Amino acid sequence: MPAPFVAYLRVYEPLSTFAPTVRDQLVEALRRGPIAPDHAGVREQRRWLHSQLVAPSRLLPGEAADGTPAGAEDVLVVDPDDVPTGESATVGPGPLVCPLDLRGRSAAALVGFLASAEVPLRGAVFPDPDGDAKSHANRVVQELSDTAVHVLSSTWTVPLPWFALVDPTERIEGTDSGAVSWLVAMADARRRAARAHTVSEGALGDQGPTRILRETGRWLERFHPHSAVELDYGGLVQLMSAEDVQADTSAEDVHAIIDAMERGESTEVAERYEALRDFWAEFAARERYN
């Protein structure tokens, strides 16, 4: 079974900054062994399948039969020394950890599905889409009101505004796995997001990319300032040939678009955006075949 065709934006926070009860669970997860980022999608997929196949089944992965959290989270870990930093950025102390937050993320996805899916589809998945499942998912989402999930995900494509957070020159390519990712210091990611939002708002108004940049910036502000941020192509690399990876200049193009918008050069903005749209449309179109 292939890994899910999902890309990720993750935050790794210093372990020492978590509340004691959460920190104890994360320490236990680290003792069991952290998940490698390029295995995270498969791990999430298996956890979800297990939640549906056990008896009695669980509505959400990461919870017990009675709907309460099931215990220690799966966790990813990063060494602060592996995170490039700008002059004013600090990362650490280590270890930096990213809980997968599967229960909360799954609840948010379920709430979104029940709010947006067509009635026949909702009815096929849940005989009573406005009943216990919806109430339970809403309760779990409300539990997250004082925190934030550490992982955002996107199926079949990478939201172009995410590239504004990274340094195009610091892309990491896995020799064996084919993985493509970036690691950046939180302070650098916030600074880039704020600049991109200001430029985009001035050029495009409060729409599309501007809205995503605003929401992403607000999400980043909810974490410790000495955290790290990772943009990971995840399972999307399965759709990409070696030539595709080599030809991919998405981060460079997004940063060039921001610079061009700031200078008012609309022709360059349009040309680079068209190239980006064509590159990612090839992969996004495969959703229709599935």
Side-chain angles (χ1 to χ4, degrees):
M1 182 181 296
F5 299 115
V6 179
Y8 303 94
L9 194 62
R10 304 186 181 105
V11 170
Y12 294 76
E13 290 191 280
L15 179 62
S16 57
T17 65
F18 287 84
T21 54
V22 178
R23 186 164 63 243
D24 290 345
Q25 292 181 357
L26 295 175
V27 168
E28 176 58 30
L30 287 172
R31 285 199 192 102
R32 292 200 317 264
I35 308 298
D38 56 344
H39 293 160
V42 171
R43 176 63 175 171
E44 293 180 0
Q45 184 182 58
R46 290 175 177 171
R47 287 284 303 276
W48 183 85
L49 289 171
H50 179 265
S51 71
Q52 305 305 301
L53 295 175
V54 295
S57 64
R58 279 57 162 158
L59 177 65
L60 304 171
E63 66 181 18
D66 62 359
T68 59
E73 273 276 16
D74 287 323
V75 66
L76 290 74
V77 63
V78 160
D79 187 328
D81 291 339
D82 293 334
V83 183
T85 57
E87 292 183 3
S88 60
T90 300
V91 176
L96 302 175
V97 296
C98 174
L100 290 186
D101 293 331
L102 272 181
R103 183 170 179 261
R105 289 167 55 208
S106 298
L110 178 55
V111 169
F113 169 78
L114 292 175
S116 61
E118 298 293 335
V119 173
L121 180 57
R122 293 204 310 267
V125 177
F126 293 102
D128 183 14
D130 294 318
D132 292 342
K134 182 177 182 180
S135 298
H136 179 59
N138 275 316
R139 282 197 301 272
V140 173
V141 170
Q142 303 237 337
E143 292 171 9
L144 299 172
S145 60
D146 294 329
T147 60
V149 294
H150 289 71
V151 183
L152 302 181
S153 58
S154 173
T155 55
W156 300 101
T157 189
V158 179
L160 296 181
W162 287 5
F163 289 107
L165 309 182
V166 305
D167 183 336
T169 66
E170 293 173 347
R171 188 164 88 164
I172 304 165
E173 295 183 15
T175 304
D176 298 324
S177 64
V180 176
S181 64
W182 285 263
L183 274 173
V184 299
M186 175 62 79
D188 293 330
R190 288 178 179 174
R191 171 177 52 79
R192 292 170 183 145
R195 178 193 172 231
H197 176 263
T198 299
V199 172
S200 179
E201 187 174 41
L204 304 175
D206 190 20
Q207 60 177 323
T210 306
R211 177 179 52 80
I212 295 174
L213 286 164
R214 182 181 68 248
E215 293 172 352
T216 303
R218 288 175 177 172
W219 177 68
L220 294 175
E221 290 291 340
R222 302 189 70 177
F223 299 100
H224 194 276
H226 297 167
S227 302
V229 181
E230 180 182 50
L231 171 55
D232 181 6
Y233 279 14
L236 296 188
V237 294
Q238 300 167 113
L239 304 174
M240 304 173 76
S241 66
E243 291 75 19
D244 290 329
V245 173
Q246 199 170 40
D248 175 28
T249 57
S250 299
E252 290 88 344
D253 288 333
V254 167
H255 281 260
I257 285 172
I258 294 167
D259 292 342
M261 285 195 298
E262 193 170 44
R263 297 191 301 267
E265 297 179 2
S266 57
T267 300
E268 182 178 355
V269 171
E271 289 175 349
R272 286 188 178 267
Y273 174 74
E274 185 176 358
L276 277 169
R277 183 189 59 192
D278 291 345
F279 180 82
W280 286 104
E282 176 186 348
F283 309 116
R286 303 191 190 194
E287 181 177 11
R288 294 197 297 270
Y289 309 145
N290 287 272

